[in-house]
Amino acid sequence: MRAILSDVHGNIDALDAVLADIGGRAVTSIYSLGDIIGYGPNPIECLDRAAAWDLNVLGNHDHAVLFDPTGFSPNAERAALWTRVIVECARREELWTFLSERPRQFRDGDFLFVHGSARNQTNEYVFPEDVYNISKMARIGELIDRYCFAGHTHVPGVFVEPEPGAQWQFLSPEEIDHTWRLDERKTIVNVGSVGQPRDANWRACYVTLDGLDLTFHRVEYDVDATVKKIYSIPELSNFLGDRLREGR
């Protein structure tokens, strides 16, 4: 069984809670779909945890820390620049090597793993409302052999193409009782976010994949501890803490 997670965003309290939850399951590998860092107060600790996992693809915030936070909001830009300073001050070359060697995608048979989308692996968002953007979903669908797992939006759920050329559907975890069995249809699974959920649910989110059986998991953690750490760092906007309590 694989555990697949994304968008930790430097939130070690959420990550450690998720790893404890994973430890209680028959998980044999951990895949991360990017954005281990950015926004949160504990980038070094999160990178150390991630280095032991079976897969880490590159996220846009990981890329921004390596290079430049182009196109980021002011809060995100400041967080990326602060994170870069923290990683530099750690004086650990292996952290930079780890980040720089992350692939933008990984294929395993019918499965594609990316941060954003099959079309733009690092930066493209696929939101639930994009099912109404017929041309966008058609183009993305053409690049998927069967199944694609992604993060980036921080909104978990399952996108399904009922039949070739038909309008895609989006199903939230609540609509499917948090479980789904992959079938012959093309499917995109957004695994949600560990460190900064944005689906009005503050609990950390990840999925497990057992064969073709998918389960969404929500894990409580000490969100107030993370908020206090963010408040204590002048370079990180208080908004980045406030949003954690609301899942937005």
Side-chain angles (χ1 to χ4, degrees):
M1 187 189 327
R2 287 182 272 204
I4 309 172
L5 54 87
S6 189
D7 296 277
V8 173
H9 282 296
N11 186 339
I12 194 64
D13 301 296
L15 177 57
D16 280 348
V18 164
L19 291 177
D21 193 75
I22 289 172
R25 306 181 188 278
V27 168
T28 56
S29 59
I30 299 177
Y31 285 13
S32 168
L33 306 184
D35 280 2
I36 295 297
I37 52 179
Y39 291 135
N42 293 103
I44 303 300
E45 295 88 341
C46 292
L47 287 170
D48 281 339
R49 305 287 195 280
W53 300 340
D54 300 270
L55 174 69
N56 288 275
V57 300
L58 185 72
N60 62 312
H61 283 256
D62 306 324
H63 183 272
V65 171
L66 278 169
F67 301 103
D68 289 304
T70 304
F72 276 29
S73 69
N75 288 338
E77 179 179 319
R78 287 171 58 200
L81 296 175
W82 173 82
T83 300
R84 180 186 298 168
V85 170
I86 295 302
V87 177
E88 288 175 343
C89 289
R91 297 184 181 277
R92 291 173 53 191
E93 188 63 31
E94 74 272 16
L95 295 178
W96 291 114
T97 300
F98 172 74
L99 282 172
S100 65
E101 292 180 347
R102 295 311 91 211
R104 293 177 181 269
Q105 65 176 15
F106 176 74
R107 291 185 183 272
D108 179 14
D110 287 336
F111 295 86
L112 171 65
F113 300 92
V114 299
H115 180 64
S117 80
R119 180 168 62 172
N120 185 328
Q121 296 94 340
T122 305
N123 291 299
E124 183 172 39
Y125 292 94
V126 183
F127 289 105
E129 57 267 27
D130 283 329
V131 295
Y132 302 107
N133 188 334
I134 306 301
S135 61
K136 176 179 179 177
M137 295 303 297
R139 179 59 183 138
I140 292 172
E142 290 172 358
L143 301 173
I144 298 171
D145 293 333
R146 184 62 60 84
Y147 312 122
C148 178
F149 284 74
H152 197 31
T153 67
H154 303 204
V155 179
V158 178
F159 296 81
V160 180
E161 184 184 37
E163 58 184 48
Q167 180 176 319
W168 286 70
Q169 298 176 347
F170 176 79
L171 300 165
S172 70
E174 292 74 20
E175 291 177 283
I176 56 177
D177 196 26
H178 298 89
T179 61
W180 184 261
R181 182 169 178 80
L182 300 171
D183 53 31
E184 73 283 354
R185 296 173 294 180
K186 288 190 176 185
T187 305
I188 301 170
V189 178
N190 190 301
V191 303
S193 171
V194 168
Q196 195 184 95
R198 294 179 186 168
D199 60 337
N201 184 336
W202 63 271
R203 296 176 299 163
C205 185
Y206 77 100
V207 305
T208 50
L209 180 65
D210 187 5
L212 296 177
D213 292 317
L214 179 76
T215 305
F216 288 88
H217 304 277
R218 301 307 290 243
V219 181
E220 295 188 3
Y221 71 98
D222 190 350
V223 65
D224 288 330
T226 306
V227 172
K228 289 177 181 177
K229 284 187 280 188
I230 291 173
Y231 283 1
S232 72
I233 300 170
E235 292 84 357
L236 299 181
S237 168
N238 286 355
F239 168 72
L240 298 177
D242 296 337
R243 74 188 311 177
L244 295 180
R245 291 193 175 103
E246 301 173 15
R248 62 184 173 95

